[in-house]
Amino acid sequence: MAAPLVELTDAASVDRAARALFGSSLDTRPAVSHSAAVWRADEDAPVTSIRINEYAPKSDLDFLALHIGRARADGIIITGKILRDEPELNYDLRADPRWGDALVDWRKHRWGLCEPPWLLILTGSGDLDFNHPVFQGWVKPLIFTTDRAATRKLAAAPCPVVADAAPDIRRAIEHLQVTRDCECVSIEAGPSTTRALYDRPRVVRELLASVYLEPSLDERAQGAPLVKLSEARRMFRSETSATHRERGQHWSFHRLCR
């Protein structure tokens, strides 16, 4: 089933792929959407994030799901650690040649978005490599950091730097929404940063979870725990999902909404 879904031709084909992936149409743009790839070892245990490295399971469908989430967003939030861990990370909506311009067309014609999204990089240390591809790519990078890091390490940054007295994920979201007029913010930060968003008051309106269903996962690909799926289901009003077999491995893709 994987091959037809990733062979996109136009905006309509993206709608069909999203519906097949998540079991429902992505017909709205939530104020805050969280995308995560996780492994579920046990129904009663918190799902474990999957590290992006050579030991992680490879999934074209997860890659597509992530980019579909990005294609709806006015702003995306990541961390400086992600840039350090993923030196080749980029946000090109043509990242897979089988997509062609379909995601770009979907962004423009489905949602009326002609400008690239802001990429807010949340960092406390300010340790960033300005030669990283995100600083030369399609997105508009923006650094959100402490007063100290802004002054001492980021004076020569090739993009806007916002100094905040107490920068965290919630303040980063607020900055994008209030100062940058972002109606839809996509969260791609790791579990240590995003877990706080599931505490009250909850700001996440949608969770797009790619769940690796195989019974084992290389320890070197296992990240920190996020939340139990059972707990997440209590936080959201509705859920749709679909299960797919890809390269002999099973994944399920969940869309939980408030």
Side-chain angles (χ1 to χ4, degrees):
M1 177 176 281
L5 292 188
V6 297
E7 293 173 1
L8 305 176
T9 55
D10 53 18
S13 70
V14 179
D15 278 324
R16 290 192 296 270
R19 203 160 43 241
L21 266 180
F22 296 107
S24 65
S25 299
L26 298 188
D27 51 4
T28 60
R29 292 205 309 145
V32 180
S33 177
H34 178 202
S35 293
V38 297
W39 173 53
R40 187 178 64 189
D42 187 285
E43 187 68 31
D44 295 324
V47 293
T48 299
S49 62
I50 298 176
R51 297 181 186 275
I52 306 302
N53 57 32
E54 64 269 34
Y55 308 106
K58 303 299 185 289
S59 170
D60 293 341
L61 296 181
D62 172 49
F63 194 57
L64 175 59
L66 178 63
H67 282 76
I68 287 175
R70 292 171 176 174
R72 290 185 303 167
D74 302 294
I76 302 167
I77 296 179
I78 63 171
T79 61
K81 183 179 186 303
I82 288 177
L83 295 189
R84 293 188 291 273
D85 290 347
E86 302 181 43
E88 298 181 1
L89 176 67
N90 74 78
Y91 285 82
D92 187 357
L93 292 182
R94 302 177 178 89
D96 189 316
R98 292 172 293 180
W99 304 344
D101 293 327
L103 284 175
V104 177
D105 292 343
W106 190 67
R107 178 177 176 83
K108 179 179 180 180
H109 298 296
R110 185 74 170 84
W111 306 110
L113 301 174
C114 298
E115 295 295 319
W118 289 101
L119 179 70
L120 186 149
I121 304 160
L122 179 62
T123 175
S125 68
D127 293 330
L128 300 175
D129 178 5
F130 297 140
N131 291 316
H132 193 287
V134 300
F135 292 105
Q136 289 83 40
W138 171 66
V139 292
K140 298 181 292 186
L142 162 71
I143 300 171
F144 195 76
T145 189
T146 63
D147 296 334
R148 181 183 178 88
T151 302
R152 297 199 169 193
K153 295 186 177 181
L154 299 169
C159 64
V161 176
V162 176
D164 189 273
D168 64 12
I169 186 72
R170 290 177 182 265
R171 292 171 72 90
I173 292 170
E174 182 181 12
H175 174 82
L176 286 177
Q177 292 176 331
V178 175
T179 306
R180 308 289 170 174
D181 296 322
C182 293
E183 295 181 8
C184 178
V185 176
S186 178
I187 309 295
E188 296 184 15
S192 61
T193 301
T194 57
R195 270 196 302 268
L197 296 178
Y198 292 89
D199 298 332
R200 295 184 182 277
R202 298 187 189 106
V203 297
V204 176
R205 310 302 298 180
E206 174 188 77
L207 171 61
L208 299 179
S210 302
V211 183
Y212 183 61
L213 297 176
E214 295 304 308
S216 63
L217 175 66
D218 193 305
E219 290 185 358
R220 293 166 291 186
Q222 295 181 27
L226 187 55
V227 295
K228 294 181 182 179
L229 273 182
S230 57
E231 292 177 355
R233 287 176 174 128
R234 288 195 292 269
M235 297 175 188
F236 296 91
R237 290 187 302 180
S238 65
E239 177 187 9
T240 61
S241 65
T243 300
H244 300 272
R245 187 172 184 269
E246 182 183 12
R247 301 177 184 176
Q249 300 171 334
H250 290 86
W251 290 77
S252 61
F253 297 85
H254 300 250
R255 183 192 185 208
L256 295 94
C257 299
R258 293 177 64 192

